[in-house]
Amino acid sequence: MYLTRFRLNAARPGARRLISSPQALHAAVMSSFPDLLPNATGQPRVLWRLDRNAAAELQLYVVSAGRPDLTHLVEQAGWPAAAASGTPGWQTYGYAPFLDRLDKGSAWNFRLTANPVHNVRVRDGQPVKRTAHVTAGHQISWLLDRQEAGGFRIQEKPVERRHTEHGDAHQIVVRDQRSLEFRKGGSNQPVTIKAVTYDGRLEVTDPDALRRLLTQGLGKAKAYGCGLMTLAPAQ
């Protein structure tokens, strides 16, 4: 497994086009793997996430079974001049050594962009409809409900750091919410995905389950930049 980081040059038109279209960015990511066939089933999962740390700092993260070649992204949305001088424009790291170090009870800071949804039935007799959670409280509850199966536990805040009596018990914040809208295939019907970015701190409860989550993703809309969790050492 590999973890790759690529910084987009937000001043370039090609980068702005990718940023505005999850379909275009998905296609660009998948083009980084020449051995993967378009629309073929049974292929290894490729996860990606676009982090917007500042207006001019856009980081693309990719987790994949194979090593990617992002040359086309450098040419389209990176810094080709820097690449020509010997800097490739992206960094790829072997992910397995890190995953193998995950121990039960260890604590990590995490970031996750996900598509928190639930199924609702508007009227009796009608089929259920997948609907996005829109409030931060429900979005956080969605993630808390997936802790046990995901092999982690989000750490709780000390009582003195809680701002409200209810709903502020955990070390987690919803940092970013955005609606991704596009047309899928040849359909004129727009598809809208609510993408939510979480930052927080977790404890590992089941290393094997957490490794599966980190490499296979969490929730829906994985093809469109949702589902990828990354970890960093807790201070």
Side-chain angles (χ1 to χ4, degrees):
M1 297 298 298
Y2 296 93
L3 172 66
T4 299
R5 181 179 62 189
F6 172 79
R7 185 181 177 194
L8 283 82
N9 184 347
R12 301 191 63 188
R16 293 196 295 269
R17 184 180 70 84
L18 294 175
I19 294 164
S20 65
S21 171
Q23 267 196 315
L25 190 47
H26 167 70
V29 169
M30 298 307 293
S31 295
S32 305
F33 304 93
D35 295 334
L36 295 183
L37 301 176
N39 303 318
T41 58
Q43 298 188 117
R45 167 70 67 183
V46 175
L47 300 172
W48 62 272
R49 186 184 76 218
L50 183 63
D51 282 4
R52 303 163 187 256
N53 298 323
E57 184 176 318
L58 300 166
Q59 299 275 0
L60 174 68
Y61 290 88
V62 180
V63 167
S64 57
R67 180 183 288 272
D69 181 351
L70 274 61
T71 303
H72 64 295
L73 274 174
V74 174
E75 296 169 349
Q76 181 180 1
W79 281 266
S85 66
T87 304
W90 71 90
Q91 298 82 41
T92 296
Y93 309 92
Y95 208 18
F98 171 78
L99 296 173
D100 291 341
R101 293 202 309 270
L102 292 177
D103 295 322
K104 185 175 181 179
S106 60
W108 301 86
N109 294 329
F110 75 88
R111 175 167 291 175
L112 165 72
T113 293
N115 173 225
V117 297
H118 64 301
N119 293 324
V120 297
R121 180 178 281 109
V122 178
R123 295 185 180 86
D124 291 341
Q126 290 190 348
V128 296
K129 181 180 180 182
R130 185 181 296 167
T131 304
H133 287 299
V134 296
T135 67
H138 285 117
Q139 291 160 352
I140 290 173
S141 294
W142 176 90
L143 184 56
L144 294 175
D145 289 343
R146 285 152 179 80
Q147 296 177 102
E148 183 176 358
F152 65 93
R153 180 181 65 83
I154 297 176
Q155 294 187 337
E156 295 188 0
K157 294 180 181 178
V159 174
E160 63 272 15
R161 288 181 50 203
R162 300 178 187 180
H163 299 296
T164 60
E165 184 176 354
H166 302 289
D168 192 37
H170 295 87
Q171 296 189 52
I172 182 174
V173 295
V174 175
R175 190 181 64 85
D176 188 20
Q177 300 186 51
R178 55 190 182 274
S179 294
L180 310 175
E181 187 170 306
F182 57 95
R183 285 174 170 78
K184 191 173 182 179
S187 173
N188 289 324
Q189 186 70 26
V191 176
T192 302
I193 293 171
K194 173 74 74 173
V196 175
T197 297
Y198 304 89
D199 282 340
R201 180 173 293 192
L202 60 77
E203 177 185 327
V204 180
T205 58
D206 183 338
D208 288 337
L210 184 55
R211 290 183 191 107
R212 286 193 297 272
L213 187 153
L214 294 173
T215 55
Q216 299 177 19
L218 176 64
K220 305 294 184 181
K222 297 183 183 72
Y224 303 108
C226 297
L228 175 56
M229 175 186 283
T230 53
L231 304 180
Q235 299 298 322

